[in-house]
Amino acid sequence: MPEKMYNRTLVFAAACLGMLVFGIVLTSLGALLPSLIEQFGIDRAAAGSLLMLMSVGVMLGSLVFGPVADRHGYRGLLAINLALVILGLEGIAFATSLLWLRVSILLVGFAGGIVNGGANALVADISEGGRAAGLSLLGIFFGIGAVGVPFSLGLLLDSFSYQTLVSGMGLCVLLPTLLVVAIRFPRPKQTHGLPLREGLRLTRDRVLLLMGLVLFLQSGLEVTVGGWTATYYQERMGLTGTRALWFLSLFWFGMMLARLALGTIFRRVPGRIVMPVSIGTSLLGSTLMLSAPTLSLAATGTWLIGAGLGAGFPVMLGMVGERYAALSGTAFSIALVIALTGGSVFPYVAGVLGEQVGLTASLLIVPAALAVQLVLFGAVLRRAAPLAVAPAAAP
């Protein structure tokens, strides 16, 4: 019996809205951190643990989504977890204790991780022949959510409480939830049980693990810079919380513009060339932000860090989708779990080091991680290129 057709444009739109939601999820906590520190009277180490908790939730969601998506498809998976994001955001908005806040953050992270992984794997599945370009366009919507949160909070926190604004974010997630429920999606790839044996085989694939290590650093960098930049500008530049959020938005705005451009660039220039240039751009940006004597130079550096980091996930996930097309969901799960481990570890380490040596010194892990990432990407190219035409997930 032939497969029912789905509308690729509507499916891509649903994935984009899901990624916008993930942008809201991933950046909301960093943007709210100064307000939460004040509201709950916590120190930097405790604030860093909140960032780590969010990342742990995202990592757990990333572990779950792949095999389930390969077996059951994307529709129910995305709809249920978008609803859980709404519940978690409302929990953050109305939390009256640290326990309530932590549970809500974990829930938002878990559901957001599933939405992130599902949206990326879905676009990789429906963008055969142009995965990096499709994933870059998808990433623009992450950037819209990521830029919108700090910018909106910076604009509105003087007029509204953060509780009111976060509650409003939760209500906005209703739209993509309803769209996912209403449309058709591609059918599952594996119709006879969860692909556990094949998934276990992929966990021993050295190339996939190496790709995951590149993304380990990528995620760590994005969450650390996104989580601590507003606080950095408050401490080093003496800005108010509202103005500091505007400078945080430069980081996400740079990433969004880079991914908008990369959607076209990837059709002409291969990722193996784009990636080193992007890493170099972030290195320059981190040097400027951490050493600039003026606010304008530091702001330029912040923008450059975001612009340079824009290529990381589209390039690497595009390579994962091409190499492991038969089990893309499971392969994405493995890569993203490794990646988001970095998102858990890096911001926490930055917070602990910030308590001991100051935030400026602790953020030196950003240029150090970029240098290591460049070396690892070279190793991926050397190992992956000879196997590019091999069957995905071959035994």
Side-chain angles (χ1 to χ4, degrees), residues 25-26 28-30 32-58 92 95 97-109 162 223 227-228 343-344 347-349 351-352:
V25 165
L26 196 63
S28 59
L29 187 57
L32 290 169
L33 206 56
S35 296
L36 293 174
I37 289 172
E38 180 180 353
Q39 174 76 14
F40 291 94
I42 55 178
D43 60 19
R44 289 194 199 101
S49 72
L50 294 178
L51 291 172
M52 185 175 72
L53 190 61
M54 170 74 81
S55 296
V56 167
V58 173
I92 292 172
S97 67
L98 269 176
L99 177 60
W100 184 344
L101 179 67
R102 286 169 178 151
V103 171
S104 299
I105 288 171
L106 185 62
L107 177 62
V108 166
Y162 81 84
V223 178
W228 286 109
S344 301
Y348 180 72
V349 170
V352 172

Side-chain angles (χ1 to χ4, degrees), residues 118-302:
N120 276 285
L122 177 59
V123 168
D125 285 350
I126 66 174
S127 303
E128 188 174 352
R131 290 184 174 91
L135 289 165
S136 291
L137 293 175
L138 178 70
I140 294 169
F141 287 84
F142 170 83
I144 292 171
V147 171
V149 168
F151 183 79
S152 298
L153 289 176
L155 202 61
L156 298 173
L157 267 176
D158 288 339
S159 303
F160 301 94
S161 68
Y162 81 84
Q163 291 92 340
T164 299
L165 296 174
V166 175
S167 178
M169 291 179 203
L171 294 178
C172 289
V173 181
L174 281 172
L175 175 61
T177 307
L178 293 174
L179 178 61
V180 168
V181 171
I183 65 174
R184 290 176 177 167
F185 282 78
R187 294 178 65 182
K189 297 186 185 110
Q190 307 292 323
T191 57
H192 302 289
L194 293 174
L196 297 180
R197 182 180 298 177
E198 293 84 353
L200 289 173
R201 187 178 298 126
L202 286 181
T203 64
R204 300 191 296 271
D205 186 294
R206 293 182 180 180
V207 177
L208 180 58
L209 295 177
L210 197 56
M211 291 175 177
L213 286 176
V214 176
L215 291 173
F216 172 92
L217 296 172
Q218 181 74 26
S219 179
L221 288 163
E222 290 187 15
V223 178
T224 298
V225 178
W228 286 109
T229 293
T231 307
Y232 169 80
Y233 273 98
Q234 284 182 282
E235 292 189 2
R236 187 171 186 268
M237 301 295 182
L239 301 184
T240 63
T242 300
R243 288 193 66 202
L245 288 174
W246 287 34
F247 284 90
L248 169 61
S249 70
L250 288 173
F251 168 70
W252 298 113
F253 189 58
M255 186 179 294
M256 181 180 66
L257 287 181
R259 287 179 175 165
L260 179 62
L262 288 168
T264 300
I265 291 171
F266 279 134
R267 302 184 190 280
R268 298 175 176 84
V269 183
R272 61 183 174 81
I273 294 175
V274 173
M275 187 73 169
V277 174
S278 296
I279 294 173
T281 301
S282 288
L283 270 170
L284 174 61
S286 63
T287 302
L288 277 176
M289 189 181 85
L290 295 174
S291 64
T294 66
L295 186 60
S296 60
L297 282 176
T300 301
T302 303

